[in-house]
Amino acid sequence: MTGYCALIDEVKLGYEVSVFVSVQLDKQIDVTLDQFEAAIQAFPEVVDCWLMTGNRDYLLRVATTGLAAFETFLTGKLTKVPGVANIESSIPLRRVKSGVARTP
């Protein structure tokens, strides 16, 4: 066990839009990975970030107040992170299953 957490309803806080964003970096070397991860830590819009296998390097879940706020994040912050080569966004229609952690 790593601790306890509160489950917060993001929609009730005004964050009505979640977007999954795949990011490909121009180089997969330690310094580029470290720079990207440091930049992501500073973005409150990024709720989750995973280093991935496959054709993309990172998968992010971004929570914003709407599509205009997502566009501002995308064009004003994410595209300006050094080393970002390609970004692909997907907007989920609805959550089918939700959980905090897998338990036995």
Side-chain angles (χ1 to χ4, degrees), residues 10-11 14-23 36 39-50 58-79 81 87-92 95:
E10 291 173 335
V11 173
Y15 304 110
E16 298 179 3
V17 172
S18 280
V19 181
F20 292 99
V21 181
S22 296
V23 177
F36 179 80
I40 290 304
Q41 293 292 334
F43 299 154
E45 299 90 346
V46 177
V47 178
D48 296 301
C49 176
W50 294 272
Y58 289 93
L59 178 64
L60 317 176
R61 184 172 72 85
V62 178
T64 64
T65 56
L67 288 178
F70 174 71
E71 179 184 5
T72 299
F73 165 76
L74 183 67
T75 60
K77 293 182 179 180
L78 189 58
T79 59
V81 174
I87 298 169
E88 183 178 307
S89 302
S90 299
I91 299 173
R95 182 177 285 170

